[in-house]
Amino acid sequence: MRQLLLLRHAKSSWDDPLLSDHARPLNARGRRAAALMAQALRDLELTPEVVLVSSARRTLQTLEALSPLPDSPIVEPMDDLYLAPWQRLLEALHTVPETARSVLLVAHNPGLHDLSLQLLGSPARPTPQEAALLEDYPTGALVEFSLATPWRELQPGRSRLIRFLRPRDLPDHPG
């Protein structure tokens, strides 16, 4: 089985109107949420071997907050993941080496949410986690899927949701 972790960047700042969208950093709330998610990843022993990350400043800062990741994964910043649609995110996953058992993809909405929904498929009776994911994919949220197929064969509806974890679900979140 393979593990796919999808992490939306944490909350970003809109304070500087002169910055391009690509250059926007995390705000204070985003930095706190990213630190909480980092601790959750450690607590859950989620250890990606490969990390694909959008080249946007906020996604790179979210990934930086997770550091150091155990086992020094291969980290690949990718310009074409910036605001990418779900189809492009899926194409990027198709290029992951077959030897990788776990991948973390750090990117943006709506692409990440759409990819999650595609991978989830249409559950007849959604679990509470599935229902929450169907509704929204907030900043800083993490989705974990289990996959039985090789990366190059990953297709919609062919994975199993393991968890959907939002920063507000974590015990130390300020609310």
Side-chain angles (χ1 to χ4, degrees), residues 9-66:
H9 65 80
K11 192 80 172 159
S12 60
S13 174
W14 292 89
D15 290 347
D16 186 346
L18 300 178
L19 281 180
S20 70
D21 182 69
H22 192 270
R24 287 190 299 114
L26 295 181
N27 66 16
R29 180 176 148 200
R31 288 189 300 275
R32 285 190 304 273
L36 287 173
M37 292 306 286
Q39 186 59 51
L41 283 166
R42 284 189 289 278
D43 292 347
L44 295 166
E45 298 180 357
L46 301 175
T47 57
E49 297 170 30
V50 174
V51 177
L52 305 179
V53 59
S54 160
S55 62
R57 185 173 180 192
R58 60 190 177 271
T59 51
L60 294 170
Q61 287 182 327
T62 299
L63 178 60
E64 184 178 303
L66 304 181

Side-chain angles (χ1 to χ4, degrees), residues 33-142:
L36 287 173
M37 292 306 286
Q39 186 59 51
L41 283 166
R42 284 189 289 278
D43 292 347
L44 295 166
E45 298 180 357
L46 301 175
T47 57
E49 297 170 30
V50 174
V51 177
L52 305 179
V53 59
S54 160
S55 62
R57 185 173 180 192
R58 60 190 177 271
T59 51
L60 294 170
Q61 287 182 327
T62 299
L63 178 60
E64 184 178 303
L66 304 181
S67 297
L69 288 167
D71 302 329
S72 301
I74 297 167
V75 176
E76 202 172 326
M78 302 174 73
D79 290 336
D80 61 342
L81 295 183
Y82 172 64
L83 301 180
W86 74 268
Q87 297 92 334
R88 175 61 198 113
L89 298 176
L90 184 62
E91 288 171 4
L93 292 168
H94 286 163
T95 68
V96 170
E98 290 306 319
T99 56
R101 305 305 291 166
S102 179
V103 173
L104 170 63
L105 174 62
V106 187
H108 312 265
N109 266 0
L112 263 186
H113 192 207
D114 292 343
L115 176 62
S116 296
L117 296 178
Q118 290 295 320
L119 294 174
L120 181 63
S122 301
R125 299 179 70 176
T127 66
Q129 282 197 104
E130 290 169 339
L133 179 56
L134 287 166
E135 183 179 314
D136 191 21
Y137 199 134
T139 54
L142 174 77

Side-chain angles (χ1 to χ4, degrees), residues 1-5 46-47 101-103 144-146 151:
M1 296 300 276
R2 288 175 174 74
Q3 175 187 64
L4 175 59
L5 305 168
L46 301 175
T47 57
R101 305 305 291 166
S102 179
V103 173
E144 178 185 358
F145 285 104
S146 176
W151 296 110

